[in-house]
Amino acid sequence: MNSETIPEGEKKRLEKVGYDTSGKLSRSASFLMSDNRTLLSEKKEKKLEILSTELAVEKYPWVKDLMFKLVSKDKDDYTRLAASSPPRGFFLRVLPGAKINIPVQSCFFIKTKRLSQVVHNIIVAEPESEVHIITGCTTASYVKQGSHIGITEFYVRENATLTYTMLHDWAPEVVVYPRSSALVEKNGVFISNYIALTRVKEINSYPEAHVKDGGIARFYSIIYAQDESFFDIGAATFLEEKGARGEIINRVVSSGGRVVSRGHILGAAKDTKGHMECSGLLLNKKGMIHAIPELKGIFPETELSHEAAVGKIADEEINYLMTRGIDKDTAVSLIVRGFLDTKIKGLPPQLQKLIAGIIEKSSLGGRI
Amino acid sequence: MDKNGYLLEVEDLWVKVESKQVLRGINLRIKKGEIHIIFGPNGSGKTSLLGTIMGLPQYRIIKGEIKFKGESIKNMPSFERARLGIGLTFQHPPSIKGARLENLLKVMGIEEQRIKNLAKRLSLLEHLPREINRGFSGGEVKRSEVLQVYLQQPELVLLDEPESGVDLENIVLISSVIGELLEKNKPIIKRKKSAIVITHTGYILDYLHADKGHVMLNGEIVCSGGPEDVFDKIKKCGYEQCASCLTSSKEK
Ligand SMILES: Nc1ncnc2c1ncn2[C@@H]1O[C@H](COP(=O)(O)OP(=O)(O)OP(=O)(O)O)[C@@H](O)[C@H]1O
Ligand SMILES: [Mg+2]
């Protein structure tokens, strides 16, 4: 542990990405990293374990075997960089049968200008367990440049449920390369949510899930792309065994930023079912949304579908709302916020509320 | 208020939608507390008239004037007209992906308890967190329109077939809420709200004290009179008779 703390004035940056520093909100465990140092790693719940990845590797030799098992070391330059860096980030393990409804929170904070933060998280939900994780990533108010490379490998064991809600609030010159992958074993449930509403230089995130017998993987990406921002986001789900199900929902708004909104579902076994939605709203002529939904079936008894729509908000809808006495900007904001605040199936109400609150409070670039 | 006591004055109003002439020289004056009914066959321009008064941009005014409380509102956007006191229940409102009914009512500045009470009465509590009109049944759409406009409390209420497609039980419900909005229970001189109501069925007339009826044909008001008289005539002879009545009056 480190005696260093987050400056008082910067705490609200953390709060904005769901990390409670006051101790008032209920959290079953907390992990906080500032630049490349662990500031805090503590738990209130007996049936889970949270450690820095560095300590976990020392304590449990088998943790090493879980690293770069789902994400290949040689995937790209970022994974290679992570592989050659010391193992930072957190290791979280929820014991078999433990149902932990109070969320775990973690936060990655960049406080030094132009810093490159490299982390590797390992998360294991043992059989029959349940855990809900919030991960916030943000910069100090004065940091405008930097990079964040985050590898996360999820092991969702039999009949376990793991939800992972990632909230990003970066600065205009930050580049972000999360690389994550999940193994969802028999009847496991994995839900991954990604929310980024503020300006950023580039985010490139394409998590994967390998879903086994009767398992479920759902990915939600909620993006508001402002001027000068570039996002290449989405997810891939491989339905590898009988009865596996997958869902990918991308809700993207561009007020001037460019977004590639991807999704890939592979149906590779009997009775697999996948659905994808790539919807995009373009608020003006500056932005771009490129929806690339991909479905691939390699087994006849798979059922894959997608809906994709990119366009502007219909005038008819804005005109309708305006007859109720609200001006055009308010009408647009109402539609945009509602569009982003999508209901996430299987997410506990507390976390759904957290996301709704972040969308409601976000200035959305002060435009609308 | 206008010096002659008119809340709304429509003078020689000519309106186009796209390239189609939908209104041809409409004249209509409504006093404070008055309720006017408009009858007319499909496509005669009834919805266009209400939409033009509300300020929906697809209705382009070619000629004429619309005054509300004595002032021209012709060039005002709809939200300003709403703030001045005009409200419209749509015949066919769009469904709105994203915007939740309760959030709209909140940004309209309506107090939560009032929303809940009326929603409960209109059996719309479960619809509040839903996206506006998305997947609502025909009757639910109409109830949601009445909910919104009731809470808005406009002085001039424009009701475009509020009861069409609504089952009998719900017509009673909707009509009683509309009756309340229009202060049906107050003595006439105390009533402040005025309305234009479009109806084909006439059911709603049993719940309102309408003052005047008009018949619209092909973008014109061709006949005005006591609402019951006008409606009875239409029921007996159909709109074609209105047309011949018009020609005969012109011949005279
Ligand atoms: N966007 C449009 N483009 C072309 N024509 C239009 C458009 N909107 C309305 N119209 C036409 O204008 C005419 C008047 O329509 P309006 O909706 O006012 O009729 P209405 O009297 O309300 O009919 P109904 O009883 O069927 O509701 C119709 O012929 C209709 O097709
Ligand atoms: Mg109509």
Side-chain angles (χ1 to χ4, degrees):
Chain A
M1 201 78 31
N2 204 291
S3 59
E4 200 184 325
T5 53
I6 299 289
E8 212 44 51
E10 298 297 334
K11 283 186 178 166
K12 58 179 183 300
R13 296 280 303 152
L14 275 56
E15 313 264 325
K16 274 177 86 175
V17 290
Y19 188 89
D20 177 51
T21 53
S22 68
K24 280 184 198 138
L25 299 181
S26 51
R27 299 288 190 248
S28 53
S30 298
F31 180 85
L32 175 60
M33 210 170 112
S34 172
D35 286 349
N36 285 311
R37 295 170 115 159
T38 302
L39 293 196
L40 179 78
S41 172
E42 66 174 21
K43 61 168 187 174
K44 290 186 182 141
E45 175 64 55
K46 275 190 222 113
K47 292 182 172 167
L48 65 74
E49 190 164 19
I50 192 159
L51 293 171
S52 70
T53 310
E54 219 159 2
L55 290 178
V57 171
E58 280 172 27
K59 189 168 171 189
Y60 303 113
W62 50 266
V63 170
K64 221 159 172 101
D65 301 334
L66 300 182
M67 295 178 78
F68 292 110
K69 192 174 157 194
L70 301 177
V71 176
S72 154
K73 247 181 226 183
D74 289 316
K75 188 184 169 91
D76 54 34
D77 289 347
Y78 308 106
T79 54
R80 277 189 284 274
L81 178 63
S84 63
S85 308
R88 294 175 184 124
F90 68 90
F91 163 80
L92 173 74
R93 177 171 176 250
V94 187
L95 299 184
K99 308 261 188 227
I100 300 169
N101 291 316
I102 298 173
V104 172
Q105 63 175 5
S106 67
C107 183
F108 296 93
F109 179 68
I110 298 183
K111 64 158 194 179
T112 303
K113 290 176 188 168
R114 290 191 194 83
L115 184 102
S116 172
Q117 187 176 55
V118 183
V119 309
H120 194 152
N121 307 318
I122 300 291
I123 300 174
V124 184
E126 296 289 7
E128 318 281 339
S129 70
E130 179 174 338
V131 64
H132 305 280
I133 304 159
I134 305 163
T135 292
C137 295
T138 189
T139 47
S141 50
Y142 50 84
V143 171
K144 301 293 170 230
Q145 283 173 312
S147 70
H148 172 88
I149 292 155
I151 315 271
T152 305
E153 291 172 274
F154 300 92
Y155 294 87
V156 184
R157 303 299 189 197
E158 273 189 41
N159 294 308
T161 295
L162 193 168
T163 78
Y164 190 74
T165 299
M166 213 182 341
L167 302 157
H168 278 192
D169 186 336
W170 297 108
E173 289 300 317
V174 174
V175 292
V176 186
Y177 303 99
R179 293 288 179 264
S180 35
S181 184
L183 171 68
V184 184
E185 292 184 2
K186 191 175 174 182
N187 297 328
V189 177
F190 175 63
I191 299 172
S192 165
N193 308 310
Y194 184 60
I195 295 106
L197 307 176
T198 55
R199 232 181 101 180
V200 63
K201 188 169 178 192
E202 180 177 347
I203 291 182
N204 178 306
S205 171
Y206 192 62
E208 295 175 357
H210 298 266
V211 191
K212 305 298 181 191
D213 189 359
I216 297 175
R218 296 202 191 102
F219 289 95
Y220 288 80
S221 299
I222 297 170
I223 306 294
Y224 186 83
Q226 302 184 26
D227 281 7
E228 321 275 324
S229 299
F230 177 70
F231 290 85
D232 189 329
I233 54 96
T237 301
F238 307 106
L239 308 174
E240 296 173 349
E241 286 180 12
K242 156 172 85 50
R245 280 174 291 158
E247 189 174 38
I248 297 171
I249 309 276
N250 296 348
R251 290 268 175 120
V252 174
V253 177
S254 165
S255 68
R258 292 175 307 130
V259 183
V260 180
S261 167
R262 298 176 196 274
H264 178 104
I265 303 182
L266 170 75
K270 193 171 154 61
D271 299 333
T272 49
K273 220 173 163 173
H275 182 71
M276 186 183 329
E277 180 197 314
C278 287
S279 8
L281 283 181
L282 284 164
L283 300 186
N284 57 40
K285 287 182 188 151
K286 270 192 278 175
M288 181 274 290
I289 298 173
H290 183 177
I292 312 178
E294 290 180 350
L295 303 176
K296 185 171 171 185
I298 56 169
F299 195 91
E301 282 157 88
T302 186
E303 202 184 308
L304 307 178
S305 61
H306 80 72
E307 46 186 313
V310 175
K312 66 165 191 167
I313 302 171
D315 289 338
E316 194 196 11
E317 297 180 18
I318 296 173
N319 292 336
Y320 172 79
L321 295 174
M322 285 172 71
T323 66
R324 305 304 186 215
I326 62 178
D327 62 24
K328 187 171 177 182
D329 286 352
T330 308
V332 170
S333 154
L334 191 69
I335 291 175
V336 166
R337 284 170 208 273
F339 173 78
L340 294 172
D341 180 18
T342 170
K343 287 275 163 283
I344 297 171
K345 257 183 270 164
L347 193 69
Q350 189 190 352
L351 293 184
Q352 185 81 60
K353 250 194 208 152
L354 175 81
I355 296 173
I358 282 168
I359 293 167
E360 200 179 315
K361 278 189 217 121
S362 164
S363 68
L364 299 181
R367 289 279 171 102
I368 54 168
Chain B
M1 195 62 50
D2 176 66
K3 56 184 180 300
N4 302 314
Y6 290 111
L7 184 66
L8 178 78
E9 293 160 278
V10 175
E11 291 160 16
D12 192 26
L13 188 66
W14 294 72
V15 169
K16 276 189 176 176
V17 178
E18 306 278 338
S19 58
K20 186 178 163 73
Q21 190 78 49
V22 287
L23 299 180
R24 303 160 190 270
I26 299 282
N27 289 290
L28 183 66
R29 296 204 280 191
I30 299 181
K31 285 191 171 150
K32 193 166 154 178
E34 276 184 353
I35 296 173
H36 290 221
I37 313 293
I38 297 183
F39 303 100
N42 294 142
S44 56
K46 304 178 300 296
T47 295
S48 305
L49 176 61
L50 297 196
T52 307
I53 296 169
M54 189 71 243
L56 291 172
Q58 66 266 37
Y59 300 107
R60 279 184 300 123
I61 299 179
I62 306 302
K63 191 180 157 199
E65 184 56 85
I66 307 173
K67 286 186 190 161
F68 185 66
K69 299 182 186 172
E71 308 246 343
S72 173
I73 54 168
K74 212 168 79 169
N75 297 316
M76 234 180 230
S78 62
F79 76 93
E80 284 179 15
R81 299 188 198 195
R83 288 176 188 178
L84 276 185
I86 304 179
L88 167 68
T89 69
F90 283 64
Q91 181 184 4
H92 299 297
S95 69
I96 303 190
K97 187 170 178 171
R100 291 175 211 290
L101 183 54
E102 61 188 359
N103 290 349
L104 169 61
L105 295 168
K106 266 182 223 157
V107 297
M108 283 164 66
I110 295 155
E111 197 210 331
E112 211 169 318
Q113 203 50 49
R114 283 188 63 216
I115 299 174
K116 290 223 166 106
N117 292 345
L118 188 62
K120 192 171 173 200
R121 203 168 140 205
L122 287 166
S123 310
L124 288 171
L125 269 182
E126 281 171 23
H127 298 69
L128 288 176
R130 282 172 61 181
E131 291 166 296
I132 300 163
N133 298 327
R134 258 197 128 195
F136 287 18
S137 76
E140 290 166 350
V141 165
K142 296 288 177 178
R143 288 188 337 252
S144 145
E145 289 297 300
V146 170
L147 172 80
Q148 294 174 50
V149 170
Y150 183 99
L151 292 170
Q152 220 179 319
Q153 287 288 318
E155 283 169 72
L156 175 66
V157 187
L158 309 173
L159 298 158
D160 197 347
E161 300 193 30
E163 87 287 27
S164 80
V166 178
D167 67 49
L168 286 173
E169 230 168 272
N170 276 303
I171 287 181
V172 175
L173 178 64
I174 280 187
S175 302
S176 75
V177 173
I178 291 173
E180 221 170 88
L181 172 63
L182 298 178
E183 305 170 309
K184 186 196 158 198
N185 297 324
K186 285 192 189 164
I188 297 180
I189 45 161
K190 289 220 166 148
R191 276 182 218 153
K192 292 203 187 81
K193 304 236 188 257
S194 310
I196 305 176
V197 185
I198 296 173
T199 178
H200 286 294
T201 66
Y203 283 133
I204 196 160
L205 296 183
D206 300 341
Y207 297 86
L208 307 167
H209 296 290
D211 301 277
K212 251 190 198 154
H214 308 274
V215 178
M216 257 183 103
L217 277 182
N218 195 22
E220 290 181 71
I221 291 181
V222 295
C223 176
S224 302
E228 270 82 19
D229 293 346
V230 172
F231 190 48
D232 284 346
K233 213 179 254 171
I234 295 166
K235 272 195 286 191
K236 262 189 227 126
C237 321
Y239 288 118
E240 268 159 45
Q241 279 283 309
C242 293
S244 62
C245 165
L246 173 73
T247 23
S248 61
S249 68
K250 265 188 187 164
E251 276 160 10
K252 271 179 225 163

